[in-house]
Amino acid sequence: MGKESYFSIYCGYLFIFGLLIHLYSIPNIFFVYIDDTWRLFGILLWGSYFILSAISAYVYYRFPGNTRLGTYFFVFTVGAGSLTAINLYGIQALADEPFYQGVYINILWGQLFLILFAWTKWIPIHTRKRVAQGVTIGLGAFFLFHGPGVMNAWNDGGLYVWLFKDAAQALIWPGFALFFSGIWTRVIMAAGIDIDITPEERAREIQRYEAEKEAQKRKLSEEMLSSGRYLEYGELDYPIESIDSYREKGSTTFEDVEFLYRENDIRYFSRIKFNPPKEMILYQENGQWYCQTAGQEPEKVLLPESTIKTEEKLRPFEDDKRAYLKRAIRERLEVPHFVEVPDDIDESKIERYK
């Protein structure tokens, strides 16, 4: 797989990950007001994110294999920026409720303590994970309290109004700010914990994840082996990720295949175990699914039930050949040699498998 373009990474940092920064910066600057100093701070925060996200995107683009460095920059730009924008809104929105503003600020001190706790190396990882799980439970409980409370408060009734009296309406939007602030606190805690996991612990977690994934993948195969159906059918686990899994008829092992594009209800894959990779197509005929590898006879295959049920829904999200090649150029993806390039697409811009 090729490397993503810098522009696509930057757009991800700026618009997708920075959504809360934008949403909360707008009211900070235009609608919620304490004095000019707070408004200036909101403007500087919003403007700085455009610059810092460009730096972070470059780090991710330039050093894609350095997970630790990428995590630090992601947390610094998106996490810290979101926390600041959200809590700036919460503090300003409670300017007319000094008591609850003080409570909100004290909760923020608690969030800062939790973040420092999670990033403190000498505290055992197990303890930090337990505290982080407690934060997750607390967020869930707060959502169950705040969500229904808000619905009733808008109708001037319910537990929210009974607890907070005349301040109930003023607490609705700061409550949402506190919830999103808590989510980012939990994310930053998770980053601090994850960075301190030793290579041995990480290897064990990856091994456990791969074992669970393999067990799930082979569940149907075990049934087939016991019934002898593996001699009649192959299997294709599609779609699960960018790399899918395929088992040939008569084989008991899976191999990785890469989905490429769909054209005229035929889906094209690359069997990347071959050197060079071979083209494989997936199509349906008289209600039966078939896979056919270049140079081989077609064979019946079974697809997961989830794929069969959602096959129609998948179509709008699958590229045709032209869209696939344009995306490959844009994101610098490597294209198999067997994929023919139309005349109106510049083949010199296509990166082929090495």
Side-chain angles (χ1 to χ4, degrees), residues 177-198:
L178 187 63
F179 176 71
F180 287 119
S181 173
I183 288 178
W184 272 111
T185 297
R186 178 64 179 86
V187 170
I188 295 173
M189 291 177 68
I193 294 169
D194 183 72
I195 285 173
D196 282 343
I197 294 177
T198 64

Side-chain angles (χ1 to χ4, degrees), residues 197-208:
I197 294 177
T198 64
E200 293 77 14
E201 291 173 327
R202 193 177 303 279
R204 284 196 296 269
E205 287 188 3
I206 292 174
Q207 188 176 18
R208 183 165 57 250

Side-chain angles (χ1 to χ4, degrees), residues 107-255:
I107 293 175
L108 299 189
W109 283 113
Q111 290 181 350
L112 179 60
F113 170 78
L114 289 170
I115 291 171
L116 292 175
F117 181 88
W119 284 70
T120 302
K121 294 181 178 293
W122 53 264
I123 299 175
I125 292 265
H126 179 72
T127 303
R128 287 186 273 170
K129 283 185 175 180
R130 284 293 182 89
V131 172
Q133 289 171 355
V135 172
T136 303
I137 294 171
L139 280 171
F142 180 79
F143 179 79
L144 293 175
F145 167 73
H146 187 66
V150 165
M151 299 303 295
N152 290 324
W154 273 325
N155 297 320
D156 294 325
L159 181 61
Y160 230 62
V161 173
W162 182 76
L163 284 175
F164 303 117
K165 306 295 188 296
D166 295 337
Q169 295 288 339
L171 294 177
I172 290 176
W173 293 110
F176 283 118
L178 187 63
F179 176 71
F180 287 119
S181 173
I183 288 178
W184 272 111
T185 297
R186 178 64 179 86
V187 170
I188 295 173
M189 291 177 68
I193 294 169
D194 183 72
I195 285 173
D196 282 343
I197 294 177
T198 64
E200 293 77 14
E201 291 173 327
R202 193 177 303 279
R204 284 196 296 269
E205 287 188 3
I206 292 174
Q207 188 176 18
R208 183 165 57 250
Y209 168 76
E210 292 294 336
E212 292 174 356
K213 182 179 174 183
E214 190 68 19
Q216 184 67 24
K217 188 192 301 180
R218 293 179 180 277
K219 186 177 180 181
L220 180 60
S221 292
E222 292 174 0
E223 297 174 1
M224 292 179 64
L225 288 172
S226 62
S227 65
R229 285 186 296 153
Y230 77 102
L231 295 173
E232 184 180 357
Y233 295 96
E235 288 179 77
L236 179 63
D237 280 352
Y238 158 76
I240 50 174
E241 294 175 356
S242 58
I243 300 297
D244 307 299
S245 297
Y246 172 63
R247 182 189 62 77
E248 277 189 307
K249 182 178 70 174
S251 173
T252 59
T253 59
F254 281 84
E255 64 177 276

